[in-house]
Amino acid sequence: QVQLEESGGGLVQAGASLRLSCVASGSTFSTRAMGWFRQAPGLEREFVAATSWSGSESHYADSVKGRFIISRDNAKNILYLQMNRLNPEDTAVYYCACSRGMISHSRDQYAYWGPGTQVTVSS
């Protein structure tokens, strides 16, 4: 069992940066891929970024590539998402998720989810 809790969301202006954190409980964090997803009002939850268990491999959605950076600290059981050059289209609730094993872009491959943190970007 893995419990996740996100933090770091907020209201910022376009062009600003935010760093989201996700603290995980449980001993399996360091053995599983982790991901970030987001959901805007009226839309489906979409993939943002994912990282392998070691952090050596990372994937990004095209919409955030070059602006967002996913990283993890396995010693502290924390997953991060550094978000730069934010724009209003990034406004959403951001969720961290723990994979069933391998790195994936698919929601179905993630077994555990945090409650989410709101990110709002004003123009």
Side-chain angles (χ1 to χ4, degrees), residues 48-61:
V48 175
T51 184
S52 61
W53 68 270
S54 66
S56 61
E57 180 182 354
S58 297
H59 296 179
Y60 296 93

Side-chain angles (χ1 to χ4, degrees), residues 92-108:
V93 177
Y94 283 72
Y95 300 90
C96 74
C98 181
S99 171
R100 301 180 194 279
M102 303 298 289
I103 192 170
S104 173
H105 295 207
S106 172
R107 291 184 309 226
D108 293 342

Side-chain angles (χ1 to χ4, degrees), residues 4 6 22 33-37 79 95-99 110 112-114:
L4 305 171
E6 305 92 340
C22 173
M34 296 289 295
W36 287 98
F37 290 76
L79 177 73
Y95 300 90
C96 74
C98 181
S99 171
Y110 290 82
Y112 303 102
W113 295 82

Side-chain angles (χ1 to χ4, degrees), residues 9-14 18 86-88 90-92 94 118-122:
L11 171 63
V12 297
Q13 291 189 328
L18 277 176
L86 285 161
N87 59 62
D90 296 316
T91 295
Y94 283 72
Q118 176 71 47
V119 172
T120 303
V121 185
S122 63

